[in-house]
Amino acid sequence: MIMRNKLFYVGTGIVALVLCISLNTLYANTQKTRVHQHLTVSNTVTDKKNKNGVVSTHLPIIHINTHGQKIPGSPIARTDSGVKYELAEDGTEDITAEIGIIDHKNTSNKSTDTFTLSSNAQIHYRGNSSRHFDKKSYAITLVNEKGEDNPQKLLGMSSHHKWVLNGPFLDRSLIRNYMGMNIAGEIMSYAPNVRYCELFVDGNYRGVYLLMETISVGKGRLNLTKSEKNKPYTSFIVNWDRAAKTDIRLNNFTYYTLKSGVSALDIRYPGTSNLTQSKLNYITNEISIVEKMLYSSDIFYEDTYTNYLDIDEFANYFIINEFFRNADAGYYSTFLYRDLREKIRPVVWDFNNSCNNFITDEFDESGFSLTDAPWFNQLLKDKEFVSLVIGKYKELRETVLSQQYLTDYIDSVDQWLGKSIERNDEVWGYVYDLTNYDTYNYLSPAKRNVTSHEEAVAQLKDYIIRRGKWLDRNIDILYQYCAESKNAGNLIR
């Protein structure tokens, strides 16, 4: 048994070394440095859970202490305007709790250790369908004793006060968000950084979680030119999502002409304290200018959308989300941002539904998902954009989207997670028993669900292999979307 364990760790180390060398070689000539946690943190420390519930792990540990308060945000009713969520006892959307981090880097982290960092935090449950899951995800805002923002560096990521604790649950492999964000981070200008951890809430072990950066302004995140309060123009972040969920909905061109379907754009930056009417008008106008170009049938339009959109980044976004068949992308959880000095760019978010893991619908390895999404349905009418997508795709299939790279990546992450998977399954493993089936915590229909973590990992790898092969054979059919015969009288350039 001792020899077998030694061989396991040696094998894991070799795989990690090979992956790390590959990454360094591929990106040696760029300034981009993406931290893949499983390649930088050793998993050879003592990793166990003893009889008293004390966890010893190579993963960082996060404690949340609610002081007996009920965490708000659970769905309690569905109304005509959307889902109604439970509020805190004082009628607000958050409670103020304490959060403690135990992160000793390359030595064992014990759940009873002294915190290496602690802070007050405003917390609520977050997500859309995921709020119905038994294993909840959390929105966290770090605050000081006065209730003011308290930015901190968490688990090696840049200092900020806004964070998400994502609980991979419907994704029984525990890998989709970690892999999707990190691969996107190798391809795009920015993708939120992520770190695995193990979570305790009020002393109760809650399993494996993923601490994620939010899509927000800050050094190490989106380093946008600061919005000046008395100026009408501004940098901005907007988010495509369900119209009923928006807080500050834009009345932009695609929305008031009903071209965006059930989606609408919500302003995420600047915040309400700095969002004047003139800034709101400016953002609406800037978005609408681009949309009118994209959706115009006038081939003699003097300006071009390429002066406003970072086409390389839109092509990268299309590829990464199509490769993993992320069915929400382009419609929901789709972030766009623009610095005053630059063009509009997209940002990836949420891969939990990817690779045929959408809760209500099956998306097999064939077909495209973004071809009908707002903006992308028009971009694909431009032959230059389609050629860019196809060329980039074929290059990436030789590197970070190759079959060998991705299957090795999944195996190395799974091996690195090690005993934490068993601890997670001690709490949540009942989902492998399909006699517990319900429509909130399982894929529909029931036969789509796996009955073990090992099966979930194998299923994920198999899907990626089949998806890649289908795209290799069919990526060129994207040219049909820009064919003159298909778009006569409806050209965008």
Side-chain angles (χ1 to χ4, degrees):
M1 179 63 72
I2 293 174
M3 180 59 69
R4 187 181 303 168
N5 288 340
K6 287 183 177 179
L7 289 173
F8 169 79
Y9 290 127
V10 169
T12 302
I14 291 172
V15 171
L17 180 61
V18 169
L19 282 169
C20 196
I21 291 172
S22 298
L23 283 171
N24 290 335
T25 301
L26 287 169
Y27 301 100
N29 296 322
T30 71
Q31 295 182 343
K32 186 188 302 180
T33 302
R34 182 72 183 190
V35 174
H36 299 250
Q37 183 187 22
H38 73 289
L39 300 180
T40 60
V41 177
S42 170
N43 71 338
T44 58
V45 300
T46 302
D47 200 353
K48 62 183 180 180
K49 185 176 181 181
N50 69 23
K51 294 181 180 179
N52 296 321
V54 177
V55 168
S56 177
T57 175
H58 62 291
L59 297 184
I61 295 172
I62 294 181
H63 285 269
I64 292 175
N65 186 354
T66 69
H67 299 289
Q69 302 172 87
K70 189 173 184 178
I71 298 176
S74 293
I76 54 176
R78 185 175 294 276
T79 66
D80 292 340
S81 58
V83 179
K84 184 178 180 181
Y85 299 110
E86 187 176 42
L87 299 176
E89 289 184 4
D90 62 0
T92 61
E93 295 181 351
D94 299 271
I95 61 167
T96 300
E98 288 181 305
I99 186 168
I101 310 289
I102 301 170
D103 184 16
H104 298 310
K105 308 305 179 187
N106 289 322
T107 60
S108 176
N109 298 302
K110 292 184 180 180
S111 55
T112 53
D113 287 348
T114 301
F115 297 151
T116 55
L117 183 149
S118 61
S119 174
N120 288 342
Q122 293 176 340
I123 295 175
H124 65 262
Y125 295 134
R126 68 167 307 280
N128 187 47
S129 59
S130 62
R131 292 209 203 199
H132 294 274
F133 297 166
D134 291 349
K135 186 179 184 182
K136 306 293 189 189
S137 293
Y138 304 82
I140 295 175
T141 302
L142 301 179
V143 295
N144 60 24
E145 293 180 354
K146 297 180 180 179
E148 302 165 334
D149 294 343
N150 182 29
Q152 297 289 334
K153 292 182 178 181
L154 301 188
L155 312 190
M157 294 180 279
S158 297
S159 181
H160 209 279
H161 60 285
K162 291 281 189 181
W163 301 89
V164 163
L165 264 175
N166 171 255
F169 188 55
L170 197 65
D171 173 18
R172 317 296 198 217
S173 77
L174 310 176
I175 293 174
R176 281 174 171 80
N177 250 336
Y178 178 84
M179 176 175 64
M181 292 296 188
N182 281 329
I183 299 301
E186 294 291 351
I187 297 172
M188 302 186 69
S189 296
Y190 172 75
N193 286 288
V194 293
R195 300 288 192 273
Y196 281 114
C197 61
E198 295 186 71
L199 178 67
F200 286 79
V201 177
D202 293 333
N204 297 311
Y205 181 76
R206 307 310 291 162
V208 173
Y209 272 72
L210 201 62
L211 183 67
M212 303 171 60
E213 295 179 340
T214 59
I215 297 173
S216 47
V217 175
K219 187 176 180 181
R221 296 193 182 180
L222 297 178
N223 194 17
L224 305 184
T225 302
K226 187 176 180 181
S227 174
E228 297 183 39
K229 194 165 186 177
N230 298 322
K231 302 290 185 180
Y233 43 81
T234 179
S235 300
F236 59 80
I237 303 172
V238 293
N239 175 34
W240 283 112
D241 217 320
R242 296 162 181 82
K245 286 184 62 180
T246 54
D247 294 320
I248 310 172
R249 185 187 308 161
L250 282 184
N251 190 32
N252 51 303
F253 174 77
T254 56
Y255 184 73
Y256 67 71
T257 58
L258 307 180
K259 296 181 183 296
S260 59
V262 297
S263 302
L265 281 173
D266 191 19
I267 296 180
R268 294 302 184 91
Y269 179 85
T272 52
S273 60
N274 290 318
L275 185 64
T276 60
Q277 185 62 48
S278 61
K279 282 182 169 55
L280 176 60
N281 294 341
Y282 172 82
I283 297 170
T284 304
N285 185 58
E286 291 296 295
I287 293 290
S288 293
I289 286 173
V290 177
E291 292 181 329
K292 289 174 183 178
M293 290 181 192
L294 287 172
Y295 288 84
S296 174
S297 59
D298 184 359
I299 62 175
F300 301 108
Y301 212 105
E302 293 182 0
D303 210 345
T304 171
Y305 74 89
T306 57
N307 291 330
Y308 297 84
L309 304 186
D310 187 325
I311 299 306
D312 279 325
E313 285 294 88
F314 275 86
N316 290 334
Y317 182 94
F318 183 91
I319 292 166
I320 191 72
N321 282 288
E322 282 293 359
F323 189 89
F324 292 120
R325 200 77 197 274
N326 194 11
D328 275 348
Y331 305 90
Y332 314 125
S333 300
T334 298
F335 289 81
L336 307 171
Y337 70 97
R338 201 200 81 176
D339 185 89
L340 274 171
R341 300 163 293 186
E342 298 177 355
K343 299 179 181 181
I344 297 174
R345 292 174 172 174
V347 187
V348 297
W349 183 252
D350 194 359
F351 289 87
N352 275 324
N353 292 333
S354 67
C355 299
N356 198 20
N357 204 54
F358 200 87
I359 189 168
T360 55
D361 299 291
E362 187 166 6
F363 292 91
D364 65 19
E365 71 275 11
S366 62
F368 295 96
S369 295
L370 277 161
T371 49
D372 291 325
W375 293 27
F376 286 97
N377 56 2
Q378 296 301 109
L379 287 171
L380 290 169
K381 294 179 180 179
D382 183 359
K383 186 175 181 179
E384 290 185 20
F385 180 75
V386 173
S387 295
L388 181 63
V389 167
I390 292 172
K392 281 178 172 287
Y393 170 79
K394 292 178 179 179
E395 290 177 3
L396 290 167
R397 277 295 274 168
E398 300 297 320
T399 56
V400 294
L401 291 184
S402 72
Q403 176 178 310
Q404 190 66 55
Y405 182 86
L406 290 174
T407 54
D408 285 350
Y409 193 95
I410 292 169
D411 283 338
S412 64
V413 173
D414 189 53
Q415 291 171 4
W416 179 79
L417 284 172
K419 295 290 186 180
S420 67
I421 298 168
E422 296 177 15
R423 289 191 292 272
N424 184 80
D425 283 351
E426 286 179 13
V427 181
W428 307 112
Y430 61 82
V431 292
Y432 298 128
D433 181 355
L434 299 188
T435 62
N436 294 320
Y437 177 82
D438 62 52
T439 57
Y440 292 112
N441 295 285
Y442 293 81
L443 300 176
S444 178
K447 65 181 181 180
R448 293 176 59 205
N449 294 275
V450 297
T451 56
S452 70
H453 172 79
E454 292 76 14
E455 186 183 348
V457 172
Q459 184 187 69
L460 176 60
K461 289 197 297 181
D462 179 66
Y463 184 88
I464 283 175
I465 291 169
R466 290 186 287 109
R467 179 64 172 163
K469 289 180 178 179
W470 187 90
L471 286 170
D472 291 345
R473 293 191 304 268
N474 295 280
I475 191 70
D476 288 332
I477 68 174
L478 287 174
Y479 279 120
Q480 70 174 303
Y481 293 95
C482 59
E484 290 186 13
S485 59
K486 181 178 178 66
N487 300 296
N490 190 28
L491 300 177
I492 62 170
R493 294 194 67 177

